[in-house]
Amino acid sequence: MYQDEKIQQKRKHNLILEGRKILNVTGVVDVSGFNDERVVLTTDMGELTVSGEHLHINKFSQETGELNLDGEICALIYTDQKKDEGGFFSKIFK
């Protein structure tokens, strides 16, 4: 299992958006949630939220990390998934 995790971390993360209608993404680890207006992906580069209308996942392979979706794509938003390092006082009292 450890070797599989290493392979996933070495995958390249790319986005190819064709005419705001078709999106191909590589480096996808998991699909966290989806409906026809929003798709939330966990990628090697953080969480990616795709917003739009009539969104439909055509293909997703967790083994290869490839995802293909179509619809009217309005926004692509990344959110870093870094753990909270604590507040001001936790930094002072290290």
Side-chain angles (χ1 to χ4, degrees):
M1 185 105 164
Y2 179 72
Q3 190 174 12
D4 290 340
E5 290 174 5
K6 275 181 133 179
I7 291 170
Q8 283 186 347
Q9 290 177 355
K10 291 182 181 180
R11 283 190 219 153
K12 290 186 178 183
H13 175 63
N14 291 306
L15 299 171
I16 299 173
L17 180 60
E18 300 175 26
R20 293 182 63 178
K21 298 284 184 192
I22 300 172
L23 178 65
N24 291 296
V25 185
T26 61
V28 177
V29 177
D30 193 20
V31 177
S32 303
F34 64 93
N35 60 34
D36 65 341
E37 294 179 348
R38 179 168 292 142
V39 178
V40 181
L41 310 171
T42 303
T43 74
D44 293 335
M45 301 295 292
E47 185 177 87
L48 173 63
T49 301
V50 181
S51 298
E53 296 179 358
H54 312 293
L55 299 178
H56 178 259
I57 297 174
N58 295 316
K59 175 186 166 190
F60 171 57
S61 171
Q62 197 167 22
E63 291 175 3
T64 63
E66 296 176 358
L67 179 128
N68 173 276
L69 66 86
D70 63 20
E72 297 175 32
I73 299 167
C74 298
L76 302 169
I77 302 166
Y78 280 99
T79 308
D80 288 336
Q81 293 183 329
K82 296 180 182 175
K83 292 185 179 178
D84 187 18
E85 295 178 8
F88 175 73
F89 290 109
S90 67
K91 292 177 184 174
I92 290 176
F93 295 110
K94 278 189 177 181

